[in-house]
């Protein structure tokens, strides 16, 4: 439960997105189940969320065939006091998150974290909650782009070089007021809109999103080259 400066208690729900297929890894094992420090990769973020004082409930979204194994894992780790649901994912990440949102009956704030991004820090959660107030609808963790970014056309020809000072690379966690996040997902379903992150959906309904500086080591395990970060 989070009270913040206002001392008004707010319920916080944490959604862990662990339904990825890992297609870009070219591996038979989904990346969220790779071993990291002797445990499956998804446990790194799950442990942080479970131990965080502000998070009340946790929902894990995963593939249908992994639901039983994750439930048994959580039971063995004595996590079920916070892990309220383990939900079947969808064909896209967005659909998986919406499946989790549909399970929420009563909360004020939702934090969404990718299981394949194992370097979650308590400070990301706490700073996001502090910033989420009447001036914005969501808060995302991101870093300023270090490289020059080029926009290309379908033929690989450069058509634009945007000012990198105005560009950020978006990470998770992403934190939202629950009602606007739910509305954003409902609208996306109605209008058949597919986005690569939840902030984009909130932006589509004119929601205000702030970003706070994260760390460059908060990477997502996406391709084979990323495996070096797990050593």
């Amino acid at each position: 439960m989070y009270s913040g400066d206002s001392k008004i208690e707010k319920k916080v729900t944490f959604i862990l997105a662990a339904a990825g297929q890992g297609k870009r890894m070219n591996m038979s094992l989904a990346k969220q189940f790779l071993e990291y420090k002797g445990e499956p990769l998804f446990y790194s973020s799950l442990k942080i969320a479970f131990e965080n004082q502000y998070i009340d409930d946790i929902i894990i979204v995963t593939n249908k065939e992994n639901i039983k194994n994750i439930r048994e894992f959580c039971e063995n780790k004595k996590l079920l006091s916070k892990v309220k649901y383990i939900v079947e994912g969808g064909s896209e990440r967005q659909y998986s998150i919406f499946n989790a949102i549909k399970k929420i009956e009563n909360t004020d704030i939702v934090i969404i974290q990718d299981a394949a991004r194992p370097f979650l820090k308590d400070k990301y959660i706490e700073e996001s909650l502090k910033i989420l107030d009447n001036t914005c609808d969501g808060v995302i963790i991101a870093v300023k782009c270090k490289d020059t970014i080029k926009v290309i056309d379908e033929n690989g020809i450069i058509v634009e070089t945007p000012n990198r000072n105005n560009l950020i690379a978006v990470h998770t966690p992403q934190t939202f007021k629950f009602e606007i996040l739910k509305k954003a997902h409902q609208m996306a379903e109605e209008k058949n809109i597919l986005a690569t992150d939840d902030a984009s959906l909130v932006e589509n309904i004119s929601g205000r999103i702030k970003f706070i500086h994260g760390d460059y080591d908060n990477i997502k395990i996406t391709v084979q080259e990323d495996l070096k970060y797990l050593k």
Side-chain angles (χ1 to χ4, degrees):
M1 194 74 68
Y2 179 72
S3 58
D5 295 335
S6 66
K7 305 304 180 185
I8 298 173
E9 290 191 342
K10 295 180 180 180
K11 186 175 180 181
V12 180
T13 298
F14 182 94
I15 297 175
L16 184 65
Q21 299 291 333
K23 295 176 182 177
R24 284 174 286 183
M25 295 290 290
N26 293 317
M27 297 175 64
S28 58
L29 183 67
K31 55 193 175 184
Q32 61 268 27
F33 299 105
L34 294 171
E35 184 175 314
Y36 176 54
K37 294 184 177 180
E39 301 284 3
L41 190 67
F42 73 85
Y43 181 58
S44 181
S45 293
L46 179 58
K47 185 174 186 291
I48 293 290
F50 182 82
E51 295 177 352
N52 187 276
Q53 62 178 320
Y54 300 123
I55 291 174
D56 300 287
D57 294 341
I58 298 171
I59 300 175
I60 302 172
V61 193
T62 192
N63 312 90
K64 183 178 181 179
E65 62 270 21
N66 296 318
I67 290 176
K68 181 180 178 182
N69 289 338
I70 288 185
R71 181 172 297 280
E72 290 176 352
F73 178 89
C74 290
E75 186 174 1
N76 291 336
K77 290 288 186 181
K78 301 186 183 336
L79 303 177
L80 293 180
S81 59
K82 272 195 179 182
V83 177
K84 301 303 182 183
Y85 297 103
I86 301 171
V87 179
E88 182 179 347
S91 59
E92 300 286 346
R93 180 187 183 278
Q94 177 177 314
Y95 307 149
S96 296
I97 299 301
F98 196 25
N99 285 350
I101 289 171
K102 291 173 184 175
K103 283 289 187 181
I104 299 173
E105 297 173 357
N106 175 35
T107 201
D108 300 293
I109 297 170
V110 173
I111 300 172
I112 300 171
Q113 171 71 11
D114 289 327
R117 199 178 292 274
F119 305 111
L120 176 65
K121 299 179 177 70
D122 278 309
K123 69 175 184 179
Y124 298 155
I125 296 170
E126 292 163 16
E127 290 176 13
S128 295
L129 290 172
K130 287 178 182 177
I131 290 175
L132 190 67
D133 55 21
N134 293 329
T135 66
C136 67
D137 303 296
V139 179
I140 62 173
I141 303 297
V143 292
K144 287 290 190 77
C145 289
K146 296 185 289 185
D147 299 320
T148 297
I149 305 297
K150 303 283 187 181
V151 179
I152 59 173
D153 64 15
E154 63 276 8
N155 298 313
I157 302 299
I158 294 169
V159 296
E160 183 184 356
T161 304
N163 183 351
R164 72 179 179 190
N165 291 327
N166 298 325
L167 298 176
I168 57 174
V170 178
H171 297 170
T172 61
Q174 296 190 355
T175 303
F176 306 94
K177 294 175 180 176
F178 172 60
E179 290 301 330
I180 193 165
L181 177 66
K182 183 178 179 180
K183 180 180 178 182
H185 272 270
Q186 290 172 335
M187 188 72 71
E189 182 179 58
E190 291 169 6
K191 296 189 175 182
N192 199 29
I193 296 170
L194 187 63
T196 55
D197 78 339
D198 299 276
S200 299
L201 299 181
V202 175
E203 292 162 35
N204 284 340
I205 60 169
S206 301
R208 290 173 56 82
I209 307 293
K210 286 186 178 181
F211 105 91
I212 57 178
H213 292 275
D215 300 295
Y216 287 98
D217 64 1
N218 183 30
I219 70 150
K220 185 177 182 181
I221 306 303
T222 305
V223 295
Q224 285 278 344
E225 288 78 4
D226 296 333
L227 295 176
K228 63 185 178 184
Y229 294 101
L230 301 182
K231 297 179 180 179

